[in-house]
């Protein structure tokens, strides 16, 4: 009986991993430009952490978490809660007044798998803790946009403000009054949400609910003085940096902790999975989780969806690995020499390979080709006798002789490192 991977859990195979690394390397580069430091966190946390931060009545906590019920621990469905837990636990607010943190890794949500939606998926998450300045909001969105555009992706930014504990209750009351009038037309989920989490009705995917909320009151018209000026300052910051966006008054996001700015990076190229990333401000959360009164904001980018978009755009070509040198030794003695030679070369930083199983020249040249070798060094009986191998540049087909001794290896290693650097 063959054992297969779990439904919704995917292997990322050689070849694919190159693209993953490309995305991750670029993200690290951009996060560094914006002065973010990496934090690495455990995958398991106490269930309570997520229930308290994400919210008991959210989709994630209600139905998507992988929880070991007996042990009261959960595989993290997102990173913000863990970042804040660590921030408080290690007193990171004492070390720097404003912490800019990022983390990259797997998340787990029990959802129905489909294109762009898996049960283990990967996020790049960034958080800024310690400032409620609207420029931070603008800068974060600018950073996300920079990442997407440097990946060559054409993705739009949508933004909203959810207000604060001052102004949201007033909006909630108005929204509830509106929903009361239209309650018969709502889907079953939204009938329930009316009492548990009425704001979620605004971003219900059900077509009839979508139609109804077109007439709903707009949160943007209910913002208090301070939230209004914060929202205005965020938009000014975006304008100043030349970041395009559109306002979406229906975007409430699936997590309870957001206040003020919320945003999503959206595309029309992924079917119903339109968001590649999203985030927002969470000024009360650190305090809520037992820390000091410190504001925060963050976003998470989903890597699977980025990779899907890049594959749609670039295709799978030219993603195969490359090596510097393939040594083709023909016969036992040449093969023996090649075995120690590639070890010497590897010590000098050369990516080198050979056929360990003594196959013929034709088969070895095929292997060299598959490995993406830039050079092949051929050592047959004659070459062995003369002490010179034939070094072939695979791009130009030029050939020259290379001494089969330490000096020859050193010269080759140096020529490679000058080409690379
Ligand atoms: P969706 O509405 O698609 O369920 P979400 O609002 O639940 O998204 P967030 O919690 O904001 O997603 O996570 C940020 C990003 O993480 C998403 O924009 C998406 O790219 C990615 N993501 C979330 N859930 C999954 C999943 N199950 N599989 C793959 N990627 C996911
Ligand atoms: Mg979701």
């Amino acid at each position: 009986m063959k054992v297969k991977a779990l439904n919704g859990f995917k292997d990322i195979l050689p070849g694919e991993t190159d693209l993953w690394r490309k995305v991750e390397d670029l993200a690290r580069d951009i996060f560094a430009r914006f002065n973010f430091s990496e934090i690495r966190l455990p995958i398991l946390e106490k269930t309570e952490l997520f229930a308290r931060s994400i919210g008991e009545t959210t989709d994630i906590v209600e139905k998507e978490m992988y929880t070991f019920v007996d042990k009261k621990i959960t595989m993290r469905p997102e990173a913000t809660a863990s970042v804040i837990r660590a921030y408080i636990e290690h007193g990171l607010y004492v070390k720097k007044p404003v912490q800019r943190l990022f983390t990259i890794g797997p998340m787990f949500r029990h959802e129905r798998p489909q294109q762009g939606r898996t049960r283990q998926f990967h996020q790049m998450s960034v958080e800024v803790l310690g400032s409620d300045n609207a420029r931070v909001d603008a800068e974060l969105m600018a950073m996300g946009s920079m990442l997407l555009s440097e990946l060559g992706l054409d993705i739009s930014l949508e933004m909203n403000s959810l207000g604060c504990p001052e102004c949201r209750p007033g909006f909630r009351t108005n929204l509830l009054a509106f929903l009361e009038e239209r309650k018969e037309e709502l889907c079953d989920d939204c009938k329930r949400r009316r009492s548990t989490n009425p704001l979620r009705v605004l971003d219900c995917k059900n077509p009839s609910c979508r139609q109804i909320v077109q007439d709903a009151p707009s949160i943007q018209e209910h913002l208090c003085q301070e939230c209004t000026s914060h929202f205005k300052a965020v938009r000014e910051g975006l304008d100043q940096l030349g970041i395009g966006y559109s306002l979406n008054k229906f975007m409430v996001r699936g997590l309870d902790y957001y206040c003020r700015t919320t945003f999503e990076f959206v595309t029309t190229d992924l079917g119903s999975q339109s968001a590649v990333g999203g985030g927002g401000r969470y000024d009360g959360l650190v305090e809520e989780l037992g820390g000091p009164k410190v504001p925060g904001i963050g976003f998470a980018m989903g890597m699977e969806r980025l990779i899907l978009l890049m594959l749609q755009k670039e295709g799978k070509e030219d993603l195969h690995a490359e090596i510097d040198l393939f040594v083709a030794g023909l016969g036992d003695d040449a093969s023996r020499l090649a075995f120690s030679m590639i070890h010497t070369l590897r010590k000098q930083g050369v990516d080198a390979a050979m056929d360990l199983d003594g196959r013929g020249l034709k088969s070895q040249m095929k292997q060299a080709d598959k490995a993406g070798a830039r050079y092949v060094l051929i050592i047959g009986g004659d070459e062995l006798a003369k002490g010179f191998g034939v070094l072939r540049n695979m791009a130009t087909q030029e050939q020259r002789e290379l001494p089969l001794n330490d000096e020859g290896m050193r010269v080759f290693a140096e020529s490679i490192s000058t080409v690379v650097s």
Side-chain angles (χ1 to χ4, degrees):
M1 188 192 66
K2 271 190 257 171
V3 180
K4 293 199 172 160
L6 292 168
N7 191 16
F9 289 71
K10 281 202 174 160
D11 302 309
I12 304 168
L13 300 175
E16 296 169 354
T17 48
D18 294 329
L19 190 51
W20 280 76
R21 267 240 309 278
K22 180 175 163 184
V23 172
E24 210 178 298
D25 289 349
L26 181 65
R28 285 173 183 281
D29 175 18
I30 291 179
F31 297 159
R33 288 184 229 167
F34 283 79
N35 200 8
F36 280 72
S37 309
E38 184 174 15
I39 181 167
R40 298 195 186 196
L41 301 156
I43 281 164
L44 278 173
E45 298 272 5
K46 290 186 182 151
T47 303
E48 189 196 342
L49 175 69
F50 302 117
R52 271 171 53 194
S53 59
I54 298 170
E56 298 276 3
T57 60
T58 56
D59 283 353
I60 293 180
V61 173
E62 269 184 351
K63 47 191 188 207
E64 296 174 359
M65 293 204 304
Y66 281 90
T67 295
F68 298 80
V69 179
D70 54 335
K71 300 193 173 67
K72 299 192 175 69
I73 54 179
T74 291
M75 315 262 287
R76 63 177 186 194
E78 57 106 42
T80 305
S82 308
V83 171
I84 293 178
R85 198 250 326 121
Y87 174 80
I88 298 169
E89 193 167 331
H90 302 284
L92 298 185
Y93 44 90
V94 181
K95 296 177 181 147
K96 266 190 197 170
V98 179
Q99 285 281 358
R100 296 155 84 87
L101 303 168
F102 79 89
T103 192
I104 300 177
M107 306 295 157
F108 304 86
R109 296 184 196 175
H110 191 269
E111 307 189 70
R112 196 169 64 79
Q114 50 193 296
Q115 147 124 321
R117 192 176 293 285
T118 48
R119 291 178 169 173
Q120 173 174 336
F121 61 99
H122 299 76
Q123 283 185 340
M124 305 186 286
S125 321
V126 300
E127 320 287 343
V128 179
L129 296 158
S131 172
D132 62 4
N133 194 309
R135 281 192 179 150
V136 174
D137 307 38
E139 201 188 25
L140 264 192
M141 285 182 259
M143 182 168 79
S145 299
M146 192 180 287
L147 173 59
L148 296 168
S149 90
E150 289 193 25
L151 286 172
L153 302 176
D154 186 18
I155 283 165
S156 43
L157 172 62
E158 294 188 357
M159 189 188 38
N160 195 13
S161 173
L162 294 184
C164 67
E166 290 289 310
C167 47
R168 207 175 331 172
F171 171 69
R172 200 170 176 272
T173 309
N174 274 7
L175 179 64
L176 279 172
F178 170 82
L179 295 176
E180 173 68 29
E181 277 170 32
R182 310 287 294 263
K183 65 182 175 204
E184 300 309 331
E185 302 157 66
L186 296 172
C187 75
D188 288 345
D189 273 341
C190 285
K191 285 197 173 105
R192 199 170 40 83
R193 284 184 186 129
R194 255 182 359 115
S195 52
T196 56
N197 200 342
L199 262 64
R200 288 310 311 265
V201 176
L202 293 175
D203 75 347
C204 179
K205 305 256 158 54
N206 186 302
S208 83
C209 297
R210 278 196 123 123
Q211 191 56 43
I212 294 167
V213 300
Q214 295 299 321
D215 306 325
S218 161
I219 186 144
Q220 288 169 20
E221 282 149 25
H222 285 76
L223 299 179
C224 64
Q225 194 63 51
E226 282 180 39
C227 286
T228 304
S229 52
H230 192 271
F231 194 36
K232 185 163 166 269
V234 174
R235 285 175 296 166
E236 280 169 7
L238 288 171
D239 291 342
Q240 197 186 339
L241 302 181
I243 308 297
Y245 63 89
S246 56
L247 295 178
N248 177 355
K249 63 175 182 173
F250 302 120
M251 195 207 328
V252 299
R253 313 265 314 129
L255 299 81
D256 276 1
Y257 53 58
Y258 288 122
C259 64
R260 292 195 169 166
T261 314
T262 52
F263 55 96
E264 266 177 9
F265 295 100
V266 296
T267 168
T268 50
D269 298 338
L270 281 178
S272 54
Q273 272 49 261
S274 61
V276 296
R281 185 162 273 291
Y282 45 79
D283 289 345
L285 185 58
V286 179
E287 203 179 9
E288 175 74 30
L289 292 176
K293 199 168 161 34
V294 166
I297 179 169
F299 73 78
M301 209 71 102
M303 296 185 71
E304 276 74 6
R305 293 184 196 174
L306 292 182
I307 302 282
L308 277 172
L309 287 169
M310 292 181 69
L311 285 174
Q312 276 179 20
K313 211 177 129 273
E314 292 183 11
K316 281 193 178 163
E317 276 75 52
D318 62 52
L319 284 174
H320 60 78
E322 275 190 0
I323 59 167
D324 300 318
L325 181 69
F326 188 94
V327 182
L330 305 174
D332 282 349
D333 291 342
S335 180
R336 206 183 135 71
L337 177 66
F339 189 54
S340 61
M341 266 176 46
I342 62 166
H343 191 64
T344 306
L345 285 164
R346 285 167 174 167
K347 277 201 254 181
Q348 297 178 46
V350 176
D351 299 347
M354 67 175 285
D355 170 42
L356 296 173
D357 298 314
R359 293 188 179 81
L361 181 61
K362 212 167 148 193
S363 153
Q364 295 205 37
M365 292 309 285
K366 263 194 200 152
Q367 289 178 55
D369 205 43
K370 273 213 172 126
R374 283 194 277 274
Y375 290 89
V376 175
L377 180 63
I378 301 161
I379 314 173
D382 288 353
E383 286 79 20
L384 202 58
K386 285 191 297 184
F388 283 92
V390 175
L391 183 69
R392 182 185 297 174
N393 180 324
M394 298 302 278
T396 62
Q397 297 297 315
E398 274 171 310
Q399 301 200 150
R400 63 185 164 93
E401 292 192 323
L402 188 76
L404 298 173
N405 54 25
D406 285 353
E407 178 60 12
M409 297 308 104
R410 196 183 58 73
V411 169
F412 179 78
E414 267 176 16
S415 75
I416 289 291
S417 69
T418 43
V419 170
V420 171
S421 65

